């Protein structure tokens, strides 16, 4: 793809920028210009291949990532390609999550009412709605952590769940978390650690396995939270606002990873309130705004 830009003299590289940071910057810029994740992945792969063949750094060969992304998007337009187009939709597989007539309550308040929902392999479904609409409750019901008052949930046994509020143990190390979660799925220590590190590197973090989780930043803990959910290569991923605490580059890395899961045939159900996420999913399920409970109405009347 970058062959369209050949013939230009190399530009001054960005000082102090590592190769990994350059590629992340390119990814972020291309996504910001509306390219679909599959288009972005191809562009980054092409840039890596050309850089490797030239035996130099991407900054030295292609110049600043921001300028290269701008010229690449322009080249696509000149070639008649629309950088805003979505890639062809994959063939969807069987249903791996089916929610039928689910009603769930928090105390006396009904949070979900007679909800139906399905997720298939190779599909990314976003759940949106106002605060209190039951988005997190829905994922907890799907994960089997909360019993529905009525209705049924059928899902694959191979699923991963990344809650909005993680359940990490601050005194345990990164590798201890990977070993424990891997052991729960019958994986060996070495496999769990190597797999976890590979996922974390795709999220832009090269972990120190011996570091206590409590010393990590919130965004880095969220990366570990996501890696643990994907550790056993599940068929279904339940992600509750997975971008919490992530910076702009890590956010782009996350969507590249979600696209890779989708392309491999996994199904993803994610909760989001970011409108830009809607462009990257296959379907959107909007939960209705919560109704005020009797107690809420009485409190409001008394306050008035």
């Amino acid at each position: 793809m970058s062959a369209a830009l050949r013939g230009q003299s190399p530009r001054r590289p960005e000082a102090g920028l590592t190769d990994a940071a350059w590629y992340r910057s390119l990814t972020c810029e291309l996504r910001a210009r509306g390219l679909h994740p599959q288009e972005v992945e191809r562009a980054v792969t092409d840039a890596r291949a050309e850089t490797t063949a030239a035996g130099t750094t991407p900054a030295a060969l292609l110049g600043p990532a921001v300028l290269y992304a701008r010229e690449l998007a322009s080249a696509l337009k000149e070639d008649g390609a629309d950088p805003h187009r979505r890639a062809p939709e994959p063939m969807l597989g069987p249903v791996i999550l089916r929610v039928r007539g689910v009603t769930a309550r928090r105390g006396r308040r009904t949070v979900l009412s007679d909800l139906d929902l399905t997720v298939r392999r190779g599909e990314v479904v976003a759940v949106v709605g106002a605060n209190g609409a039951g988005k997190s409750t829905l994922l907890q019901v799907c994960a089997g952590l909360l019993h529905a008052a009525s209705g049924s949930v059928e899902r694959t046994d191979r699923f991963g769940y990344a809650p909005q509020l993680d359940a990490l143990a601050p005194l345990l190390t990164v590798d201890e978390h990977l070993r424990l979660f891997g052991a729960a799925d019958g994986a060996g220590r070495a496999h769990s650690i190597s797999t976890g590190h590979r996922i974390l590197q795709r999220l832009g973090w090269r972990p120190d396995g011996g570091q206590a989780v409590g010393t990590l930043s919130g965004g880095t803990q969220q990366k570990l939270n996501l890696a643990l959910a994907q550790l056993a290569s599940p068929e279904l991923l339940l992600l509750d606002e997975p971008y919490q605490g992530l910076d702009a580059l890590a956010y782009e890395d996350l969507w590249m990873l979600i696209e890779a899961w989708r392309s491999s045939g996994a199904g993803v159900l994610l909760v989001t309130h970011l409108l830009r996420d809607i462009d990257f999913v296959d379907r959107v399920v909007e939960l209705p705004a919560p109704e005020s409970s009797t107690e809420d109405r009485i409190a409001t009347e008394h306050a008035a």
Side-chain angles (χ1 to χ4, degrees):
M1 184 177 294
S2 58
L5 305 181
R6 288 176 183 163
Q8 299 180 4
S9 58
R11 288 163 293 205
R12 180 181 300 173
E14 295 163 291
L17 196 64
T18 66
D19 289 359
W22 191 95
Y23 289 120
R24 286 200 300 272
S25 179
L26 176 63
T27 299
C28 183
E29 289 296 328
L30 290 175
R31 289 291 297 274
R33 294 177 183 279
L35 271 72
H36 186 272
Q38 289 181 353
E39 295 282 352
V40 174
E41 187 171 8
R42 280 194 290 269
V44 174
T45 298
D46 289 347
R48 288 182 185 275
E50 291 198 11
T51 300
T52 300
T56 185
T57 66
L61 180 67
L62 303 172
V66 174
L67 296 180
Y68 181 69
R70 183 176 65 190
E71 294 175 1
L72 185 57
S74 297
L76 285 172
K77 290 181 180 179
E78 291 174 1
D79 289 342
D82 179 7
H84 294 274
R85 73 186 186 279
R86 289 184 61 90
E89 300 295 340
M91 294 294 292
L92 297 181
V95 173
I96 51 177
L97 173 66
R98 189 186 303 275
V99 176
R100 290 176 172 169
V102 162
T103 295
R105 297 187 176 92
R106 296 284 190 182
R108 296 183 178 180
R109 186 168 70 93
T110 298
V111 181
L112 299 173
S113 180
D114 197 26
L115 178 69
D116 294 326
L117 178 148
T118 59
V119 178
R120 294 179 176 272
R121 288 183 62 96
E123 183 178 37
V124 179
V125 179
V127 179
V128 301
N131 289 338
K135 301 184 294 295
S136 295
T137 298
L138 171 61
L139 262 63
Q140 291 172 6
V141 170
C142 292
L145 300 177
L146 181 67
H147 291 293
S150 62
S152 64
V153 176
E154 302 171 14
R155 59 157 168 73
T156 175
D157 291 332
R158 293 180 52 199
F159 76 97
Y161 172 50
Q164 184 176 358
L165 299 176
D166 63 62
L168 303 178
L171 297 181
L172 295 183
T173 67
V174 173
D175 283 357
E176 285 171 340
H177 278 83
L178 295 173
R179 290 201 302 267
L180 285 172
F181 276 72
D185 290 300
R189 291 186 175 187
H191 175 77
S192 299
I193 292 173
S194 62
T195 300
H197 282 215
R198 185 169 62 252
I199 298 170
L200 290 169
Q201 288 173 23
R202 295 195 66 176
L203 288 169
W205 177 43
R206 190 176 297 276
D208 174 1
Q211 185 173 2
V213 167
T215 65
L216 302 174
S217 68
T220 303
Q221 289 188 25
Q222 178 66 350
K223 293 177 183 180
L224 178 58
N225 193 33
L226 290 166
L228 294 174
Q230 212 265 329
L231 195 59
S233 300
E235 295 179 336
L236 171 68
L237 282 147
L238 306 172
L239 309 179
D240 194 349
E241 298 192 16
Y243 45 78
Q244 291 287 348
L246 301 183
D247 59 26
L249 289 179
Y251 172 83
E252 300 298 331
D253 290 336
L254 169 64
W255 272 106
M256 292 291 288
L257 192 55
I258 291 176
E259 179 61 28
W261 294 338
R262 176 179 180 268
S263 298
S264 70
V268 181
L269 180 66
L270 67 92
V271 168
T272 183
H273 65 260
L274 299 181
L275 292 179
R276 56 182 171 173
D277 286 351
I278 305 306
D279 292 334
F280 308 134
V281 304
D282 300 295
R283 285 192 295 116
V284 177
V285 175
E286 183 173 4
L287 301 183
E291 296 183 0
S292 299
S293 64
T294 302
E295 292 86 348
D296 292 338
R297 289 194 295 271
I298 292 174
T300 301
E301 291 170 1
H302 285 176

